[in-house]
PDB file of all heavy atoms in Angstrom:
ATOM      1  N   GLN A   1      -6.354  -9.112   1.163  1.00  0.00           N
ATOM      2  CA  GLN A   1      -5.514  -8.423   2.152  1.00  0.00           C
ATOM      3  C   GLN A   1      -4.163  -8.189   1.578  1.00  0.00           C
ATOM      4  O   GLN A   1      -3.584  -7.124   1.735  1.00  0.00           O
ATOM      5  CB  GLN A   1      -5.445  -9.222   3.476  1.00  0.00           C
ATOM      6  CG  GLN A   1      -6.770  -9.317   4.185  1.00  0.00           C
ATOM      7  CD  GLN A   1      -6.726 -10.383   5.280  1.00  0.00           C
ATOM      8  OE1 GLN A   1      -6.055 -11.384   5.221  1.00  0.00           O
ATOM      9  NE2 GLN A   1      -7.473 -10.147   6.344  1.00  0.00           N
ATOM     10  N   LEU A   2      -3.618  -9.272   0.980  1.00  0.00           N
ATOM     11  CA  LEU A   2      -2.257  -9.103   0.355  1.00  0.00           C
ATOM     12  C   LEU A   2      -2.231  -8.098  -0.788  1.00  0.00           C
ATOM     13  O   LEU A   2      -1.322  -7.295  -0.863  1.00  0.00           O
ATOM     14  CB  LEU A   2      -1.771 -10.527  -0.146  1.00  0.00           C
ATOM     15  CG  LEU A   2      -0.440 -10.525  -0.860  1.00  0.00           C
ATOM     16  CD1 LEU A   2       0.665 -10.062   0.114  1.00  0.00           C
ATOM     17  CD2 LEU A   2      -0.088 -11.924  -1.386  1.00  0.00           C
ATOM     18  N   ILE A   3      -3.276  -8.116  -1.567  1.00  0.00           N
ATOM     19  CA  ILE A   3      -3.391  -7.176  -2.691  1.00  0.00           C
ATOM     20  C   ILE A   3      -3.472  -5.719  -2.077  1.00  0.00           C
ATOM     21  O   ILE A   3      -2.842  -4.860  -2.607  1.00  0.00           O
ATOM     22  CB  ILE A   3      -4.618  -7.463  -3.570  1.00  0.00           C
ATOM     23  CG1 ILE A   3      -4.318  -8.745  -4.402  1.00  0.00           C
ATOM     24  CG2 ILE A   3      -4.892  -6.306  -4.526  1.00  0.00           C
ATOM     25  CD1 ILE A   3      -5.530  -9.306  -5.088  1.00  0.00           C
ATOM     26  N   GLY A   4      -4.159  -5.560  -1.012  1.00  0.00           N
ATOM     27  CA  GLY A   4      -4.228  -4.291  -0.300  1.00  0.00           C
ATOM     28  C   GLY A   4      -2.903  -3.799   0.089  1.00  0.00           C
ATOM     29  O   GLY A   4      -2.486  -2.599  -0.125  1.00  0.00           O
ATOM     30  N   VAL A   5      -2.091  -4.663   0.673  1.00  0.00           N
ATOM     31  CA  VAL A   5      -0.756  -4.253   1.115  1.00  0.00           C
ATOM     32  C   VAL A   5       0.113  -3.899  -0.090  1.00  0.00           C
ATOM     33  O   VAL A   5       0.839  -2.925  -0.171  1.00  0.00           O
ATOM     34  CB  VAL A   5      -0.040  -5.388   1.947  1.00  0.00           C
ATOM     35  CG1 VAL A   5       1.436  -5.087   2.194  1.00  0.00           C
ATOM     36  CG2 VAL A   5      -0.790  -5.550   3.234  1.00  0.00           C
ATOM     37  N   LEU A   6       0.003  -4.752  -1.166  1.00  0.00           N
ATOM     38  CA  LEU A   6       0.794  -4.527  -2.418  1.00  0.00           C
ATOM     39  C   LEU A   6       0.398  -3.205  -3.118  1.00  0.00           C
ATOM     40  O   LEU A   6       1.279  -2.488  -3.630  1.00  0.00           O
ATOM     41  CB  LEU A   6       0.668  -5.679  -3.367  1.00  0.00           C
ATOM     42  CG  LEU A   6       1.302  -7.004  -2.891  1.00  0.00           C
ATOM     43  CD1 LEU A   6       1.010  -8.095  -3.819  1.00  0.00           C
ATOM     44  CD2 LEU A   6       2.808  -6.813  -2.593  1.00  0.00           C
ATOM     45  N   ILE A   7      -0.871  -2.829  -3.012  1.00  0.00           N
ATOM     46  CA  ILE A   7      -1.357  -1.596  -3.581  1.00  0.00           C
ATOM     47  C   ILE A   7      -0.641  -0.403  -2.847  1.00  0.00           C
ATOM     48  O   ILE A   7      -0.210   0.587  -3.355  1.00  0.00           O
ATOM     49  CB  ILE A   7      -2.848  -1.493  -3.581  1.00  0.00           C
ATOM     50  CG1 ILE A   7      -3.444  -2.403  -4.661  1.00  0.00           C
ATOM     51  CG2 ILE A   7      -3.327   0.010  -3.766  1.00  0.00           C
ATOM     52  CD1 ILE A   7      -4.952  -2.527  -4.630  1.00  0.00           C
ATOM     53  N   ILE A   8      -0.607  -0.527  -1.517  1.00  0.00           N
ATOM     54  CA  ILE A   8       0.069   0.516  -0.715  1.00  0.00           C
ATOM     55  C   ILE A   8       1.476   0.633  -1.067  1.00  0.00           C
ATOM     56  O   ILE A   8       2.100   1.712  -1.218  1.00  0.00           O
ATOM     57  CB  ILE A   8      -0.127   0.190   0.792  1.00  0.00           C
ATOM     58  CG1 ILE A   8      -1.604   0.415   1.134  1.00  0.00           C
ATOM     59  CG2 ILE A   8       0.746   1.167   1.639  1.00  0.00           C
ATOM     60  CD1 ILE A   8      -1.917  -0.072   2.581  1.00  0.00           C
ATOM     61  N   VAL A   9       2.238  -0.547  -1.227  1.00  0.00           N
ATOM     62  CA  VAL A   9       3.666  -0.505  -1.714  1.00  0.00           C
ATOM     63  C   VAL A   9       3.733   0.160  -3.011  1.00  0.00           C
ATOM     64  O   VAL A   9       4.621   1.020  -3.268  1.00  0.00           O
ATOM     65  CB  VAL A   9       4.176  -2.003  -1.724  1.00  0.00           C
ATOM     66  CG1 VAL A   9       5.546  -1.981  -2.444  1.00  0.00           C
ATOM     67  CG2 VAL A   9       4.268  -2.571  -0.383  1.00  0.00           C
ATOM     68  N   GLY A  10       2.799  -0.107  -3.959  1.00  0.00           N
ATOM     69  CA  GLY A  10       2.795   0.559  -5.265  1.00  0.00           C
ATOM     70  C   GLY A  10       2.616   2.093  -5.060  1.00  0.00           C
ATOM     71  O   GLY A  10       3.260   2.851  -5.812  1.00  0.00           O
ATOM     72  N   GLY A  11       1.794   2.462  -4.193  1.00  0.00           N
ATOM     73  CA  GLY A  11       1.560   3.854  -3.911  1.00  0.00           C
ATOM     74  C   GLY A  11       2.835   4.520  -3.471  1.00  0.00           C
ATOM     75  O   GLY A  11       3.126   5.724  -3.833  1.00  0.00           O
ATOM     76  N   ILE A  12       3.626   3.826  -2.594  1.00  0.00           N
ATOM     77  CA  ILE A  12       4.842   4.437  -2.099  1.00  0.00           C
ATOM     78  C   ILE A  12       5.806   4.580  -3.248  1.00  0.00           C
ATOM     79  O   ILE A  12       6.527   5.568  -3.415  1.00  0.00           O
ATOM     80  CB  ILE A  12       5.464   3.545  -0.977  1.00  0.00           C
ATOM     81  CG1 ILE A  12       4.590   3.565   0.217  1.00  0.00           C
ATOM     82  CG2 ILE A  12       6.960   3.901  -0.679  1.00  0.00           C
ATOM     83  CD1 ILE A  12       4.954   2.470   1.295  1.00  0.00           C
ATOM     84  N   LEU A  13       5.890   3.569  -4.118  1.00  0.00           N
ATOM     85  CA  LEU A  13       6.780   3.679  -5.286  1.00  0.00           C
ATOM     86  C   LEU A  13       6.344   4.812  -6.212  1.00  0.00           C
ATOM     87  O   LEU A  13       7.184   5.596  -6.704  1.00  0.00           O
ATOM     88  CB  LEU A  13       6.788   2.371  -6.023  1.00  0.00           C
ATOM     89  CG  LEU A  13       7.417   1.138  -5.279  1.00  0.00           C
ATOM     90  CD1 LEU A  13       7.205  -0.127  -6.120  1.00  0.00           C
ATOM     91  CD2 LEU A  13       8.897   1.427  -5.072  1.00  0.00           C
ATOM     92  N   VAL A  14       5.022   5.033  -6.443  1.00  0.00           N
ATOM     93  CA  VAL A  14       4.616   6.095  -7.246  1.00  0.00           C
ATOM     94  C   VAL A  14       4.981   7.444  -6.583  1.00  0.00           C
ATOM     95  O   VAL A  14       5.418   8.345  -7.197  1.00  0.00           O
ATOM     96  CB  VAL A  14       3.082   6.032  -7.520  1.00  0.00           C
ATOM     97  CG1 VAL A  14       2.537   7.326  -8.098  1.00  0.00           C
ATOM     98  CG2 VAL A  14       2.781   4.799  -8.359  1.00  0.00           C
ATOM     99  N   PHE A  15       4.767   7.514  -5.254  1.00  0.00           N
ATOM    100  CA  PHE A  15       5.118   8.691  -4.482  1.00  0.00           C
ATOM    101  C   PHE A  15       6.560   9.055  -4.656  1.00  0.00           C
ATOM    102  O   PHE A  15       6.973  10.196  -4.914  1.00  0.00           O
ATOM    103  CB  PHE A  15       4.741   8.547  -3.026  1.00  0.00           C
ATOM    104  CG  PHE A  15       5.235   9.598  -2.155  1.00  0.00           C
ATOM    105  CD1 PHE A  15       4.535  10.776  -2.071  1.00  0.00           C
ATOM    106  CD2 PHE A  15       6.405   9.448  -1.401  1.00  0.00           C
ATOM    107  CE1 PHE A  15       4.971  11.795  -1.254  1.00  0.00           C
ATOM    108  CE2 PHE A  15       6.864  10.486  -0.603  1.00  0.00           C
ATOM    109  CZ  PHE A  15       6.137  11.614  -0.570  1.00  0.00           C
ATOM    110  N   LYS A  16       7.416   8.055  -4.466  1.00  0.00           N
ATOM    111  CA  LYS A  16       8.837   8.260  -4.458  1.00  0.00           C
ATOM    112  C   LYS A  16       9.410   8.525  -5.853  1.00  0.00           C
ATOM    113  O   LYS A  16      10.239   9.387  -6.110  1.00  0.00           O
ATOM    114  CB  LYS A  16       9.590   7.098  -3.751  1.00  0.00           C
ATOM    115  CG  LYS A  16      11.085   7.348  -3.607  1.00  0.00           C
ATOM    116  CD  LYS A  16      11.401   8.580  -2.716  1.00  0.00           C
ATOM    117  CE  LYS A  16      12.850   8.823  -2.574  1.00  0.00           C
ATOM    118  NZ  LYS A  16      13.213  10.032  -2.007  1.00  0.00           N
ATOM    119  N   LEU A  17       9.059   7.664  -6.805  1.00  0.00           N
ATOM    120  CA  LEU A  17       9.557   7.689  -8.151  1.00  0.00           C
ATOM    121  C   LEU A  17       8.819   8.588  -9.086  1.00  0.00           C
ATOM    122  O   LEU A  17       9.453   9.030 -10.089  1.00  0.00           O
ATOM    123  CB  LEU A  17       9.720   6.248  -8.691  1.00  0.00           C
ATOM    124  CG  LEU A  17      10.464   5.286  -7.804  1.00  0.00           C
ATOM    125  CD1 LEU A  17      10.380   3.869  -8.395  1.00  0.00           C
ATOM    126  CD2 LEU A  17      11.906   5.727  -7.689  1.00  0.00           C
ATOM    127  N   GLY A  18       7.556   8.796  -8.843  1.00  0.00           N
ATOM    128  CA  GLY A  18       6.697   9.521  -9.827  1.00  0.00           C
ATOM    129  C   GLY A  18       6.888  11.041  -9.864  1.00  0.00           C
ATOM    130  O   GLY A  18       6.538  11.681 -10.816  1.00  0.00           O
ATOM    131  N   GLY A  19       7.484  11.642  -8.800  1.00  0.00           N
ATOM    132  CA  GLY A  19       7.564  13.047  -8.729  1.00  0.00           C
ATOM    133  C   GLY A  19       8.864  13.647  -9.195  1.00  0.00           C
ATOM    134  O   GLY A  19       9.055  14.825  -9.149  1.00  0.00           O
ATOM    135  N   LYS A  20       9.762  12.790  -9.759  1.00  0.00           N
ATOM    136  CA  LYS A  20      11.032  13.346 -10.242  1.00  0.00           C
ATOM    137  C   LYS A  20      10.895  13.932 -11.588  1.00  0.00           C
ATOM    138  O   LYS A  20      10.151  13.505 -12.457  1.00  0.00           O
ATOM    139  CB  LYS A  20      12.072  12.116 -10.348  1.00  0.00           C
ATOM    140  CG  LYS A  20      12.424  11.515  -9.064  1.00  0.00           C
ATOM    141  CD  LYS A  20      13.487  10.490  -9.158  1.00  0.00           C
ATOM    142  CE  LYS A  20      13.855   9.998  -7.771  1.00  0.00           C
ATOM    143  NZ  LYS A  20      14.905   9.008  -7.820  1.00  0.00           N
ATOM    144  N   SER A  21      11.599  15.081 -11.683  1.00  0.00           N
ATOM    145  CA  SER A  21      11.587  15.789 -12.993  1.00  0.00           C
ATOM    146  C   SER A  21      13.035  16.242 -13.269  1.00  0.00           C
ATOM    147  O   SER A  21      13.839  16.347 -12.360  1.00  0.00           O
ATOM    148  CB  SER A  21      10.643  16.952 -12.957  1.00  0.00           C
ATOM    149  OG  SER A  21      11.078  17.941 -12.082  1.00  0.00           O
ATOM    150  N   ASP A  22      13.255  16.515 -14.550  1.00  0.00           N
ATOM    151  CA  ASP A  22      14.589  17.014 -14.970  1.00  0.00           C
ATOM    152  C   ASP A  22      14.723  18.509 -14.732  1.00  0.00           C
ATOM    153  O   ASP A  22      15.831  19.040 -14.911  1.00  0.00           O
ATOM    154  CB  ASP A  22      14.910  16.599 -16.350  1.00  0.00           C
ATOM    155  CG  ASP A  22      15.086  15.071 -16.494  1.00  0.00           C
ATOM    156  OD1 ASP A  22      15.469  14.471 -15.474  1.00  0.00           O
ATOM    157  OD2 ASP A  22      14.851  14.582 -17.573  1.00  0.00           O
ATOM    158  N   ALA A  23      13.659  19.164 -14.491  1.00  0.00           N
ATOM    159  CA  ALA A  23      13.644  20.620 -14.290  1.00  0.00           C
ATOM    160  C   ALA A  23      14.535  21.025 -13.096  1.00  0.00           C
ATOM    161  O   ALA A  23      14.359  20.410 -11.993  1.00  0.00           O
ATOM    162  CB  ALA A  23      12.339  21.203 -14.241  1.00  0.00           C
ATOM    163  N   LYS A  24      15.387  22.004 -13.213  1.00  0.00           N
ATOM    164  CA  LYS A  24      16.232  22.404 -12.128  1.00  0.00           C
ATOM    165  C   LYS A  24      15.433  23.465 -11.356  1.00  0.00           C
ATOM    166  O   LYS A  24      14.851  24.380 -11.958  1.00  0.00           O
ATOM    167  CB  LYS A  24      17.552  22.938 -12.593  1.00  0.00           C
ATOM    168  CG  LYS A  24      18.391  21.849 -13.246  1.00  0.00           C
ATOM    169  CD  LYS A  24      19.793  22.249 -13.413  1.00  0.00           C
ATOM    170  CE  LYS A  24      20.489  21.121 -14.127  1.00  0.00           C
ATOM    171  NZ  LYS A  24      21.666  20.768 -13.569  1.00  0.00           N
ATOM    172  N   GLU A  25      15.545  23.412 -10.012  1.00  0.00           N
ATOM    173  CA  GLU A  25      14.811  24.367  -9.247  1.00  0.00           C
ATOM    174  C   GLU A  25      15.784  25.532  -8.879  1.00  0.00           C
ATOM    175  O   GLU A  25      16.971  25.348  -8.688  1.00  0.00           O
ATOM    176  CB  GLU A  25      14.389  23.730  -7.901  1.00  0.00           C
ATOM    177  CG  GLU A  25      13.367  22.639  -8.144  1.00  0.00           C
ATOM    178  CD  GLU A  25      13.000  21.914  -6.871  1.00  0.00           C
ATOM    179  OE1 GLU A  25      13.325  22.438  -5.689  1.00  0.00           O
ATOM    180  OE2 GLU A  25      12.387  20.848  -6.905  1.00  0.00           O
ATOM    181  N   PRO A  26      15.271  26.728  -8.787  1.00  0.00           N
ATOM    182  CA  PRO A  26      16.119  27.892  -8.476  1.00  0.00           C
ATOM    183  C   PRO A  26      16.571  27.740  -7.026  1.00  0.00           C
ATOM    184  O   PRO A  26      15.949  27.101  -6.238  1.00  0.00           O
ATOM    185  CB  PRO A  26      15.298  29.072  -8.689  1.00  0.00           C
ATOM    186  CG  PRO A  26      13.885  28.590  -8.752  1.00  0.00           C
ATOM    187  CD  PRO A  26      13.943  27.155  -9.120  1.00  0.00           C
ATOM    188  N   ALA A  27      17.677  28.438  -6.709  1.00  0.00           N
ATOM    189  CA  ALA A  27      18.223  28.452  -5.322  1.00  0.00           C
ATOM    190  C   ALA A  27      17.168  28.895  -4.331  1.00  0.00           C
ATOM    191  O   ALA A  27      16.471  29.814  -4.611  1.00  0.00           O
ATOM    192  CB  ALA A  27      19.474  29.315  -5.270  1.00  0.00           C
TER     193      ALA A  27
END
C-alpha cells in the first residue's frame, strides 16, 4: 500500500518536472 502511494507521488513528480523544456513557445 505504501509503495502504491509512493508510486503515485513519483508520477506527480514526473508529471510536474518531466514536461519542462528549454524551447520557447510563440506568443
Side-chain angles (χ1 to χ4, degrees):
Q1 295 167 328
L2 179 60
I3 290 169
V5 172
L6 294 176
I7 287 171
I8 293 171
V9 170
I12 292 170
L13 292 173
V14 168
F15 171 81
K16 185 62 179 171
L17 303 175
K20 292 185 178 183
S21 69
D22 292 334
K24 297 195 183 227
E25 297 176 12

